[in-house]
Amino acid sequence: QVQLVESGGGLVQAGGSLRLSCAASGRTFSSYAMGWFRQVPGKEREFVAAINWGGSNTYYADSVRGRFTISRDNAKNTVYLQMNSLKPEDTAVYYCARDRRAYYSGDYDYWGQGTQVTVSS
């Protein structure tokens, strides 16, 4: 069994920053690529960022590129999403997920419960 728990969400004003964390329990965390997604009620879940198993390759949605940074610390079984220059349109529930492969495939098998990020004007 794999469990993913997000934390670090909250309320921030536009232009501010937050760092989200995703703590993983289970086997061989370091063997899998990981991703961050976000979702607004009534909207489809949106890809935000992903990172391969070794942390040397990252991928970003156009909407967040240059503002968000994904990273991982395999020794701590944790994936991070540093969010800078936040905009009101970044408001969403953010989820982390485990990729089925060591390199980013876009196919995920485990998801966290989500953490709320609210950006005010």
Side-chain angles (χ1 to χ4, degrees):
Q1 185 178 29
V2 174
Q3 184 176 13
L4 305 174
V5 180
E6 302 95 335
S7 62
L11 176 64
V12 64
Q13 64 180 340
S17 298
L18 285 173
R19 189 176 81 158
L20 305 183
S21 298
C22 173
S25 62
R27 299 176 182 176
T28 60
F29 168 81
S30 63
S31 297
Y32 298 92
M34 299 289 293
W36 283 97
F37 294 77
R38 64 188 183 186
Q39 189 169 28
V40 176
K43 299 282 189 177
E44 292 289 307
R45 183 169 291 175
E46 176 189 16
F47 170 79
V48 175
I51 187 167
N52 78 308
W53 74 276
S56 58
N57 293 94
T58 57
Y59 310 86
Y60 297 95
D62 290 342
S63 59
V64 306
R65 186 175 292 109
R67 299 187 298 120
F68 291 11
T69 302
I70 187 172
S71 62
R72 67 191 300 162
D73 186 340
N74 288 340
K76 296 182 177 180
N77 289 348
T78 302
V79 178
Y80 304 97
L81 184 68
Q82 178 67 46
M83 305 185 295
N84 298 327
S85 301
L86 283 162
K87 305 174 181 179
E89 51 263 45
D90 294 319
T91 296
V93 177
Y94 284 71
Y95 300 88
C96 68
R98 191 186 81 169
D99 200 291
R100 292 183 181 271
R101 307 290 187 183
Y103 301 93
Y104 174 63
S105 74
D107 187 14
Y108 299 89
D109 55 3
Y110 291 95
W111 296 79
Q113 84 293 334
T115 185
Q116 177 70 48
V117 172
T118 303
V119 184
S120 62
S121 300

